Amino acid sequence: MLPTLPIALLAAVLGASDAASLQPNNFTRILPTVITPNFEGWGTSLAWWSVFAGQLSRCQHKKLIDLLFSRKAYPSLALNIVRYNIGGSPPLDATGKTPADPLLGQYRGVPSMQKAPGVWDWTADMAQLRVMAAARDEGASVFEAFSNSRMFRCIE
């Protein structure tokens, strides 16, 4: 028997506007034998979790990366797409918190590499870059960039 996805899962994937057209008895069949030419794989957006993960010890970091991206270790999700979050938060203080927004707390602010117009600090986001480099080393092959918010200095 082929697996089915319930409407609640489809609604979460499709979003509210598309979900409104679904009926409670609608299901989608997954056909593992059907391959479409446009499927690139699957992956993750780095953002906040990688700010945390990038600061783990070497051993803990390796275990996590293996679970997510490895093509050799088992078990692994073998993710191949990585979406890098272009940070918009101000520089983190010594405790890892975002000074301009204490509600963000530790690991939730993704620091911007642009400190001022024309001034860049390419080391500001080393935790996320560490995760991205490890994913690449484990076989991730598609890299994208996105931003959840505008630069901190644009909203001051």
Side-chain angles (χ1 to χ4, degrees):
M1 178 173 189
L2 294 173
T4 58
L5 294 176
I7 192 168
L9 179 58
L10 288 174
V13 171
L14 294 174
S17 61
D18 293 327
S21 65
L22 296 175
Q23 300 300 318
N25 59 354
N26 287 359
F27 286 87
T28 297
R29 293 213 179 270
I30 298 173
L31 303 172
T33 58
V34 176
I35 298 175
T36 61
N38 297 329
F39 185 74
E40 292 183 76
W42 68 314
T44 183
S45 297
L46 296 181
W48 304 284
W49 75 266
S50 66
V51 173
F52 166 77
Q55 297 176 30
L56 293 172
S57 70
R58 181 174 288 185
C59 182
Q60 291 172 321
H61 185 262
K62 176 68 174 142
K63 285 180 185 177
L64 179 60
I65 295 301
D66 282 349
L67 286 170
L68 295 173
F69 301 104
S70 179
R71 304 296 184 276
K72 302 171 196 129
Y74 180 81
S76 175
L77 295 174
L79 303 176
N80 71 308
I81 299 174
V82 177
R83 296 182 70 225
Y84 176 81
N85 184 1
I86 301 168
S89 296
L92 303 179
D93 66 16
T95 65
K97 294 185 179 177
T98 305
D101 191 350
L103 294 177
L104 283 177
Q106 192 173 13
Y107 309 122
R108 293 191 185 131
V110 179
S112 169
M113 291 185 185
Q114 186 178 20
K115 303 306 170 196
V119 179
W120 299 87
D121 177 3
W122 301 112
T123 64
D125 190 14
M126 291 306 293
Q128 206 179 180
L129 292 174
R130 179 182 181 208
V131 172
M132 188 169 61
R136 178 204 60 215
D137 294 346
E138 289 297 328
S141 57
V142 178
F143 297 89
E144 301 171 345
F146 75 102
S147 180
N148 285 323
S149 63
R150 57 187 168 223
M151 239 13 135
F152 71 93
R153 57 183 182 73
C154 295
I155 54 176
E156 292 177 337

